Structure formats: structure tokens, C-alpha cells
Amino acid sequence: PTPKNKSYHSIGLENTTCWQIFWQDAKTMMGCYSDIGGIRSIDAGKSWGYQYSGFSVNSLYRMVKTTNGNVYGACSNIHDMYQSTRLGDNPLDLNDANGKIVFSTDQGVNWSTLHQFNHPVYWLASDPNNSNTMYASVIHFSGSQGNQLGGIYRCNDLNKGSASAWNKLANPPRTEGHPASISVLNDGKVVCTFSGRRNSSGAFTASSGVFLYDPIANSWQDLSYKDMQYWTKDLIIDPNDPSQNTWFVCVFSGWGGAPNGLGGLYKTTNRGFTWTKLTASVFDRVTSITFNPSKLSQAFLTTETQGLWVSNNMNTMLPDWNLVASYPFRQPERVYFNPYNSNELWISSFGNGMKVANLNITSDFDYTNSNIQKMTLYPNPNQGDLHICFDSKISESLKFVITDIQGKQIYGKEMKINLGLNNIFISLPEHSKGIYYLQLNTENELISKEFMVH
């Protein structure tokens, strides 16, 4: 029999959902999983085990470390939150004995319960200006706005440990107890996403989106673009913007009418006053995006069924996207760079555990030699008649999508480019003056170019 409570080298058997990969120091790591809870490594991820005590849960969703070195974990006995099978208000979701926050003061060796919510805890975020302040996403909705315990909770006395007090904030407008990601900004404001919810009839409710909390005014502002109202996932603050005005929001398409066809990556440069969709209709469901800390023009995007994608020009108005063909699974969840070795790229997934790549020896993320990338548009500006010109002759099946500045598709066509042809003509139907984006994709690439119609 295999000895219990030892560390073992993985052979790929942990084929369940990994939500987060977390470093406590250069050697000590934890993986946040559904079904198997948390697994721990003390040799930089070479081997993993359950060498800790104090909690045992089905799902560990999120971990965060405060400036004093304490580590906190968001727990639940309910797995797969905000996946397609976990959007309703099943009674099992409403009575969660392991819906709690746990904490450790000794690098994850021993754990204690910080606060018992009895409902799933999905996300944690600490205040960069106050080590005693933390926010948590707690999931619960029982059919009416006045009778829900789900929402955003705040603690202002984290230093008291298990005696700390957690108070629920007022509900943001439209929301129905399904909070997701939380980011505390440098100015103390808190930006959150609320994820999808389906009612007892199975229909999506317009209760999702992006919301900003002002702790001084104790008030919420709904900053959601209309396409975010049904199934929003992660929100990421752009590390290129020290003012923290630039955010990226990941959205899933739903089903059953209004939620259809909304998925993709959205960007704001003014804290949600206006939004631009960066991916047209290419991606049906986007979970998260992660920037390379050593190369901030590069970012990795995760999807539900379309695999892992990378852009090397995030500093442009409309980034190009390329499939990371070497990643072998269709549903990566989130991407993490080792904070102690920026060449290590770790990927969590929904159903395939975690994987790691070494960027020093991997060339799959470099597409600079692609013929498709060498594309020009002329004339630009034009009056609706557009030529697409490639620098070299190609023979591929290409799909063209043209969107307006709000991301609405106005033209789409799939065609086979004959060998030797390097010039394509498109005439826009019922065009009007403005800025447009041409997006072109093959099986492994997605690139975008801006043009103007006058």
C-alpha cells in the first residue's frame, strides 16, 4: 500500500481542476484544487503532498499572503464554481459546512479557521494600504435581494485572527449573490466582478458584471459593459498602467437568447467609463489573462475550449493572438509566473491539473516569422473599399471579421487563399465613417489591424 501523507512526484493523476498556483517562498508552494483540496510542495513544485494539518475541504479556490507572512485560503465543499454546471442556487450550495477562510502563520504547515461563513468562499484580496483589511467573495442567493448572504465581505481587524470580524457590504446594483474576482486598488477603491447566475427556470439573469466600491462613500458603481451582464469571469489590472485606470475583463458566452455570443476579452482605459472588445467573435469564452512580468507587452489568455493563447503586442490598440500549440489541453484556467524565477510559466486548468514551461528553452511563443503577421491594409483611410496585402504568397484557409470600435461585427467571411495569391479586396456593406478593425484568424493565429473609413 502507498504510504499516506508523503510527497510524491506527479505522474499526471491529479486530473481535476486547479484554480490557483501559489508561492509562499521560493521552495514552498500550494496548488488550489477542486475535489482534492489543497496540495503542498516544499521543493519548488518537484513533488506534492498533503503535508499540512488543520483543514480538509473539497475545494480550495484562492490563496493570498499578507505583508506579515500569514497565508489565507478560501474554501468550500462545493466544486467547480461558475462553470456551466454551477450557476444555479442549488440547496447544496447554500449550506456549505466548509464554506470558510483558513489561515496559517507557519508557511502552510498548520492551519486554523479564520471565519466560518457556511457558504462557499471564492476569492480573497488584501488591501495594499492596510495589512489588517481583507475582502472576500461569498456565494449565496435564495431568490430575493433582501434574503441573500452572498456578496463582498470586509474585515478590518485581520490581526485578531479567529476573533476577527467580517461584515457584509451592501449589494452592488443588479447583483444576485454570485461575487467572483476582487482587486483592491492603490487608492483604496475595490473593483469586483460578479459572475453568472441561472434562475430556477434555467435562464441567465442580468446580475453579472463589473462593480467599483468606494469605501469612503460606502457606495457601489455599476461599470459593466452590456455584454458583461450575464457571465463575467476574471478582472485583471493592467501592470503597464501605474494609475490603475486600465483593466481587462474576461467574459463567457451563455445560452438561451440574450447571453449568446458575448464571450471575449474587454478593455477599459478609464476605469470602466468606456469599453473596447479586443477579440471580436473569435473566442466564445475567456477565463483570464496574465501578463509576463519580464515582458509587459506579452500576455497569455485562457479559454474554456479553445486552449491557451498568447499576444506579443499588448501595447497596441488591438492585440494579435496566437495559439500556444505546445500546451496540450483545451481548458487552461489561469497562468502564473514563478515570482522567484520569471522564466517559469505555470498553468492551472479545468480538468488537467497544472503544467509548467521554461521560457528559456521554449520557442512556441514567438510568431514573428509568420507570413500572416506580415499583412498591410490600403488605402488607409479609405471609403469602404479595402485591399488586404500579404508580404509573401500564402495558401491557407482564412477567416476575416471586421468590427466597429465597440466590437460589433459588420462583416465576416471565410475563404481559401489560393497558392500564389497575396492580395484580397473587400467592400464594406453599408459602411459609415469611423474606425474599424480587421481581424484575421487561421487555426493557430489571430491578428488585428486598424483602419479608418472617411
Side-chain angles (χ1 to χ4, degrees), residues 65-97:
K65 182 169 67 175
T66 53
T67 54
N68 63 3
N70 290 353
V71 184
Y72 300 81
C75 303
S76 175
N77 266 352
I78 311 300
H79 61 87
D80 299 347
M81 285 301 177
Y82 301 138
Q83 301 298 308
S84 59
T85 56
R86 192 64 73 185
L87 296 172
D89 299 319
N90 189 303
L92 290 175
D93 300 348
L94 308 181
N95 300 283
D96 183 358

Side-chain angles (χ1 to χ4, degrees), residues 1-8:
T2 302
K4 295 181 180 181
N5 298 319
K6 305 294 183 181
S7 286
Y8 293 95

Side-chain angles (χ1 to χ4, degrees), residues 187-208:
D187 62 5
K189 293 183 179 180
V190 184
V191 60
C192 307
T193 60
F194 275 64
S195 198
R197 178 181 174 267
R198 298 171 66 202
N199 61 23
S200 58
S201 300
F204 280 83
T205 63
S207 56
S208 182

Side-chain angles (χ1 to χ4, degrees), residues 54-70:
F55 79 101
S56 177
V57 298
N58 174 279
S59 295
L60 179 65
Y61 281 107
R62 194 75 181 174
M63 298 188 73
V64 65
K65 182 169 67 175
T66 53
T67 54
N68 63 3
N70 290 353

Side-chain angles (χ1 to χ4, degrees), residues 313 318-320 372-377 380 386 388 401-403 435-440 447-451:
N313 62 342
L318 205 63
D320 304 329
I372 303 301
Q373 295 280 6
K374 301 171 184 177
M375 179 183 74
T376 56
L377 308 179
N380 190 8
L386 181 68
I388 306 170
V401 173
I402 294 178
T403 66
I435 297 175
Y436 295 87
Y437 301 104
L438 170 72
Q439 296 190 332
L440 180 152
I447 66 171
S448 306
K449 298 288 184 181
E450 177 186 330
F451 66 94

Side-chain angles (χ1 to χ4, degrees), residues 9-282:
H9 293 265
S10 171
I11 56 170
L13 288 178
E14 66 279 20
N15 56 340
T16 182
T17 304
C18 182
W19 300 105
Q20 184 187 16
I21 302 164
F22 183 80
W23 284 261
Q24 295 170 347
D25 59 33
K27 294 291 185 180
T28 310
M29 303 171 62
M30 288 200 64
C32 300
Y33 277 84
S34 272
D35 302 321
I36 61 174
I39 58 175
R40 186 168 179 261
S41 172
I42 56 174
D43 55 9
K46 295 182 178 63
S47 62
W48 298 85
Y50 296 98
Q51 294 178 312
Y52 62 87
S53 63
F55 79 101
S56 177
V57 298
N58 174 279
S59 295
L60 179 65
Y61 281 107
R62 194 75 181 174
M63 298 188 73
V64 65
K65 182 169 67 175
T66 53
T67 54
N68 63 3
N70 290 353
V71 184
Y72 300 81
C75 303
S76 175
N77 266 352
I78 311 300
H79 61 87
D80 299 347
M81 285 301 177
Y82 301 138
Q83 301 298 308
S84 59
T85 56
R86 192 64 73 185
L87 296 172
D89 299 319
N90 189 303
L92 290 175
D93 300 348
L94 308 181
N95 300 283
D96 183 358
N98 273 325
K100 61 186 178 181
I101 301 173
V102 295
F103 75 107
S104 171
T105 61
D106 58 4
Q107 296 289 76
V109 178
N110 297 286
W111 294 82
S112 301
T113 297
L114 180 77
H115 190 81
Q116 183 81 35
F117 289 94
N118 291 316
H119 304 292
V121 186
Y122 182 78
W123 203 278
L124 299 173
S126 58
D127 188 332
N129 301 305
N130 187 339
S131 60
N132 288 324
T133 298
M134 182 175 287
Y135 294 83
S137 292
V138 179
I139 304 170
H140 173 269
F141 187 77
S142 60
S144 65
Q145 284 286 348
N147 189 29
Q148 61 168 303
L149 298 176
I152 305 298
Y153 283 73
R154 180 175 63 192
C155 171
N156 290 321
D157 56 359
L158 202 60
N159 57 304
K160 294 183 179 179
S162 299
S164 60
W166 288 80
N167 298 303
K168 183 177 179 294
L169 302 181
N171 299 323
R174 291 193 301 105
T175 59
E176 295 176 347
H178 283 204
S181 68
I182 307 173
S183 295
V184 185
L185 304 178
N186 292 335
D187 62 5
K189 293 183 179 180
V190 184
V191 60
C192 307
T193 60
F194 275 64
S195 198
R197 178 181 174 267
R198 298 171 66 202
N199 61 23
S200 58
S201 300
F204 280 83
T205 63
S207 56
S208 182
V210 176
F211 305 88
L212 184 68
Y213 175 70
D214 185 340
I216 296 178
N218 191 28
S219 63
W220 289 94
Q221 185 178 5
D222 186 349
L223 302 176
S224 311
Y225 182 59
K226 59 182 179 61
D227 292 354
M228 301 172 186
Q229 294 188 1
Y230 294 97
W231 200 355
T232 300
K233 303 288 277 190
D234 287 4
L235 182 148
I236 295 87
I237 309 299
D238 188 350
N240 293 285
D241 182 1
S243 66
Q244 297 190 315
N245 292 328
T246 304
W247 309 335
F248 295 88
V249 171
C250 305
V251 176
F252 269 30
S253 294
W255 63 89
N260 296 2
L262 306 181
L265 180 68
Y266 296 77
K267 178 182 179 180
T268 179
T269 58
N270 49 25
R271 292 200 175 194
F273 184 72
T274 58
W275 295 91
T276 299
K277 189 175 185 180
L278 301 183
T279 53
S281 58
V282 175

